[in-house]
Amino acid sequence: MGKLTVTAFLTLDGVVRGPGHVDAQMGAALARWQRRASAFLQVRNVADYCPSAGDLPRHVVTGNLAAEIRRLKAHYDGELQLHASGSLVAELDDLVDEYRLLVFPVVLGEGHPLFPAGAHPLALRPLSTSATSTGVVIQEYAAAGAPTFGSMA
């Protein structure tokens, strides 16, 4: 059974936005992740960013997202990678196994957030965090089910 990973470029306020510039450290992380791919996923025929796939298949999902992604995860042993398409990530609920976030030190104040208002609550377990010399924070998280909350009392 494969796993679904999501890679997203984000501003500090959570807006999905292309980087404009990829430094060497970011490029190394993106190349490392891309080597793990068995296939790429594009959603609803939108112009998602999808790295050069070489001989790897690309799948465009236009129907029932959950059913199609479950079928693709069962078909592949490696990673099915989605390079984020804005708020569509929130529709994937419990199907995402890992999130790879590149957070840029900029605030836009508007745009499409990765997790819009009304997204299902989600706990994440940190896998790794690093920062580039340009201040981009590279974070990897595993999905960890529903969040738990404590008391501030």
Side-chain angles (χ1 to χ4, degrees), residues 32-94:
R32 183 177 67 249
W33 296 333
Q34 187 173 348
R35 285 191 297 271
R36 298 179 191 166
S38 293
F40 294 98
L41 176 66
Q42 290 180 273
V43 181
R44 293 190 185 143
N45 244 347
V46 296
D48 300 328
Y49 168 74
C50 193
S52 174
D55 292 335
L56 296 177
R58 293 180 192 220
H59 298 277
V60 178
V61 178
T62 57
N64 181 320
L65 287 178
E68 186 65 11
I69 290 171
R70 283 187 183 93
R71 185 188 69 75
L72 290 168
K73 286 174 73 170
H75 179 76
Y76 291 102
D77 288 328
E79 291 185 9
L80 178 62
Q81 293 185 359
L82 171 62
H83 291 256
S85 55
S87 59
L88 291 175
V89 171
E91 293 182 37
L92 301 177
D93 290 331
D94 62 344

Side-chain angles (χ1 to χ4, degrees), residues 3-140:
K3 67 180 177 179
L4 176 62
T5 63
V6 168
T7 300
F9 297 111
L10 302 171
T11 62
L12 195 57
D13 55 344
V15 173
V16 177
R17 189 64 173 217
H21 166 258
V22 175
D23 65 31
Q25 293 161 299
M26 291 167 37
L30 292 168
R32 183 177 67 249
W33 296 333
Q34 187 173 348
R35 285 191 297 271
R36 298 179 191 166
S38 293
F40 294 98
L41 176 66
Q42 290 180 273
V43 181
R44 293 190 185 143
N45 244 347
V46 296
D48 300 328
Y49 168 74
C50 193
S52 174
D55 292 335
L56 296 177
R58 293 180 192 220
H59 298 277
V60 178
V61 178
T62 57
N64 181 320
L65 287 178
E68 186 65 11
I69 290 171
R70 283 187 183 93
R71 185 188 69 75
L72 290 168
K73 286 174 73 170
H75 179 76
Y76 291 102
D77 288 328
E79 291 185 9
L80 178 62
Q81 293 185 359
L82 171 62
H83 291 256
S85 55
S87 59
L88 291 175
V89 171
E91 293 182 37
L92 301 177
D93 290 331
D94 62 344
L95 297 171
V96 178
D97 298 291
E98 289 184 14
Y99 293 87
R100 297 164 178 163
L101 310 177
L102 293 93
V103 182
F104 291 77
V106 64
V107 174
L108 294 180
E110 62 181 36
H112 296 287
L114 185 64
F115 298 103
H120 291 93
L122 172 68
L124 299 171
R125 181 175 46 85
L127 299 174
S128 71
T129 302
S130 62
T132 72
S133 61
T134 60
V136 175
V137 178
I138 301 171
Q139 305 168 40
E140 294 182 71

